[in-house]
Amino acid sequence: MYDLIGVGFGPSNLALAIAIEEHNRAGAAVTGLFLERQPRFGWHRGMLIDDATMQVSFLKDLVTLRNPTSEYSFLAYLHEKGRLVDFINHKSLFPLRVEFHDYLEWAAERFAGVVRYGHEAVTVRPVSGGFEVVARSASGTVTNRARNLVLGLGLEPSLPDGATLGARVWHSRDLLDRIDSLGRLGAGRVAVVGAGQSAAEVTKFLHERFPQAEVCGIFTRYGYSPADDSPFANRVFDPEAVDTFYAAPEEAKRRILDYHGNTNYSVVDIDLIEELYRRMYREKVLGTERLRIQNLSRVAEVVQSVDGVRATVESLTTGERAVLDCDLLVYATGYRPADPLSLLGDVAGSCLLDDLGRVRVNRDYRLMTGPDLHGGIYLQGGTEHTHGISSSLLSTTVMRADDILRSVVSTREHRPHMWTQNIVADAVTVR
């Protein structure tokens, strides 16, 4: 029986694996196993556009806020790759997204021994002293036991009501994985639905990828709204802000989320907004308008065919409808947290809910459960209603991993009768 099993191995559980290793160097070993349904490490691969940059400082990497001297820092990665001096001369806090992904892969490679890729957790059952996790792989079904679960389930694509994906209708997460299937588009048309950072990035990418095609941005707002990344507003992502948010009454929580939603949701970096406007204005001057913005509008109907997509766009101000025949329609409409209860099966019935039907979560990210469950279930994400706006972002990932590990160790120390030393033969100690 492992001390913990992590379901999913994205940045959150990778940060936890690093924290475990560094803890084990100085204290009693914590044993862990991570299950990841992807065949290899990957984090939003479909949006690793060459010139897209991170929107969070490189100092908010997997370790620095917890342990600035860690060998797993972004600076240690740069040093090993021979780019540290070049990065310093670049004078930027925000690396390319492809570079940060390479950093994550670099760190993940060191934990291959405790991750089972290609293993999708399908159900959880309670057992004496903890949980049994059933995972499905290409070679069959595998069962493992642990005293604690850490669910890093990530995010799921969010789509407008009634929208369905298909051969010519994609979500932005699949952009780079499928773009080659369009071949040379010529004087065609592509449409992008959404007004956030991903939508603006996809619009810019498609405008460059298909230099003869018309690119239509469709959204319900008047225009792209700039992200508020000013110093005072960014304090909402500080580790201390989690304590403040968690202790606040429900009404204050709602106000904080409303006030500071423009730091993250449906907003775009101002440099990208200005670049798109420059392109649109330049095309008007030259008389070759390919970049078109249909604001205050929504996609009312989509009909897919073998050759393309027919989208009916409705004006929110006049109600008028226009038909767009497109070669491709991309929904860049964001994500929502995966529902942890869908994985937990019968265990879900022991999880306590609030008046709005949301899971109740302790400050240490442990689900509140009934007395019949002896092990702990921790959430890496899906806690915005209890821990604040940074719950699905990188900003507090490293400190959340630290909180979870401290809670696991503390539980072991205070309830030793639940933490026997009978580790199964194939248990892997993170070291």
Side-chain angles (χ1 to χ4, degrees), residues 270-339:
I270 188 64
D271 290 346
L272 180 53
I273 294 175
E274 292 174 347
E275 171 61 23
L276 290 175
Y277 194 87
R278 268 194 300 270
R279 293 185 183 195
M280 191 170 65
Y281 183 77
R282 182 174 65 242
E283 290 179 353
K284 282 188 176 182
V285 172
L286 298 176
T288 56
E289 296 182 51
R290 291 195 305 112
L291 179 57
R292 297 179 179 273
I293 300 298
Q294 295 188 249
N295 62 349
L296 298 174
S297 301
R298 71 180 187 94
V299 176
E301 184 180 11
V302 173
V303 178
Q304 303 183 49
S305 66
V306 175
D307 299 325
V309 182
R310 172 161 289 188
T312 301
V313 180
E314 180 182 64
S315 168
L316 299 182
T317 56
T318 67
E320 294 181 1
R321 292 191 169 197
V323 173
L324 285 181
D325 288 319
C326 307
D327 297 276
L328 170 68
L329 186 146
V330 180
Y331 284 108
T333 45
Y335 298 85
R336 63 176 183 273
D339 179 11

Side-chain angles (χ1 to χ4, degrees), residues 155-177:
L155 302 171
E156 298 175 344
S158 178
L159 294 170
D161 291 341
T164 58
L165 303 180
R168 296 293 184 113
V169 178
W170 308 343
H171 188 271
S172 57
R173 70 166 183 177
D174 300 317
L175 179 70
L176 297 187
D177 296 329

Side-chain angles (χ1 to χ4, degrees), residues 338-355:
D339 179 11
L341 300 184
S342 63
L343 170 66
L344 295 178
D346 294 339
V347 175
S350 298
C351 298
L352 305 184
L353 307 179
D354 65 14
D355 294 339

Side-chain angles (χ1 to χ4, degrees), residues 30-63:
V30 172
T31 58
L33 174 72
F34 296 89
L35 306 173
E36 171 55 55
R37 63 183 177 184
Q38 296 185 101
R40 59 190 176 114
F41 183 88
W43 181 62
H44 297 298
R45 285 185 178 275
M47 283 293 291
L48 294 179
I49 298 171
D50 286 350
D51 60 351
T53 58
M54 297 292 293
Q55 281 126 346
V56 63
S57 166
F58 72 88
L59 292 171
K60 293 184 177 180
D61 57 14
L62 296 167
V63 293

